[in-house]
Amino acid sequence: RNKRFWQFLAMAIFTLNLKQVFRHMDATFPKYAVRAFGCDVPFGSIYAINPAMIIVGVPIVAAATPHVRHFDMIFRGSWLTAVSPFIVAASQTYVGTCLFVVVLSLGEMVWSPRWYDYTMACAPPGKEGVFGALALMPIFAAKLPTGLLGGYLLQTHCPAAPGGDCVDGGGVRDAP
């Protein structure tokens, strides 16, 4: 009935794939990092690039772009986020992995704050809580497909070494 609601819902579905990239950072990346670089990989430090950049970058981007429409910022930042996994696919090195997190973070600092602004702009008075909950829907909807795809990608393209992931690195970690 409400055109704005359906536009918002379409945007929420659109962000589902973006949320999958973030879910892969949590679910797939640690196992990939151990398998690709060994048990001593500092994947926690690589992962920490994201929150550090968000804490510093979001206020700067927000201050520099208040005149830009929500949709334009969501669109531009989404492209950066969507491109980021291709960096690590092209360069499976520490540098490629760090660049993946940097580009992912740049995209997030552009689109994520504007997503929540857009959510509140679409919400009719008195329905802000419902829209806020719907804005978080893609995070939860992304979990199942991320687990399935992450497991498939790891098994197919980055399988565990015979006997476990860290046979030579000090302690065996069983493959999933």
Side-chain angles (χ1 to χ4, degrees):
R1 290 192 308 208
N2 184 340
K3 181 181 175 188
R4 208 148 189 175
F5 170 77
W6 293 109
Q7 287 174 336
F8 170 75
L9 197 58
M11 286 288 286
I13 292 169
F14 170 74
T15 65
L16 180 64
N17 288 325
L18 297 176
K19 297 298 184 178
Q20 275 192 317
V21 176
F22 292 100
R23 297 303 317 144
H24 280 294
M25 278 286 293
D26 298 334
T28 311
F29 177 69
K31 182 65 78 174
Y32 161 77
V34 168
R35 290 182 182 178
F37 303 118
C39 288
D40 295 329
V41 64
F43 65 81
S45 297
I46 295 169
Y47 186 92
I49 294 168
N50 176 261
M53 286 185 65
I54 296 306
I55 289 168
V56 173
V58 167
I60 294 168
V61 172
T65 61
H67 59 283
V68 181
R69 294 180 334 143
H70 297 312
F71 179 81
D72 293 339
M73 293 297 287
I74 293 168
F75 186 76
R76 292 172 188 158
S78 296
W79 272 104
L80 283 171
T81 299
V83 164
S84 65
F86 293 100
I87 296 169
V88 76
S91 176
Q92 296 180 17
T93 62
Y94 277 123
V95 172
T97 304
C98 289
L99 281 174
F100 154 66
V101 177
V102 166
V103 173
L104 173 88
S105 302
L106 288 171
E108 182 183 8
M109 71 176 67
V110 171
W111 78 266
S112 188
R114 289 303 188 91
W115 170 243
Y116 298 108
D117 287 345
Y118 175 74
T119 299
M120 292 302 115
C122 288
K127 300 288 185 183
E128 293 89 351
V130 172
F131 275 68
L134 288 173
L136 295 173
M137 173 196 59
I139 293 171
F140 299 105
K143 288 185 179 194
L144 180 62
T146 299
L148 294 172
L149 180 60
Y152 170 78
L153 290 172
L154 285 169
Q155 185 177 18
T156 304
H157 300 289
C158 193
D165 287 335
C166 293
V167 174
D168 298 323
V172 174
R173 295 188 188 172
D174 293 329

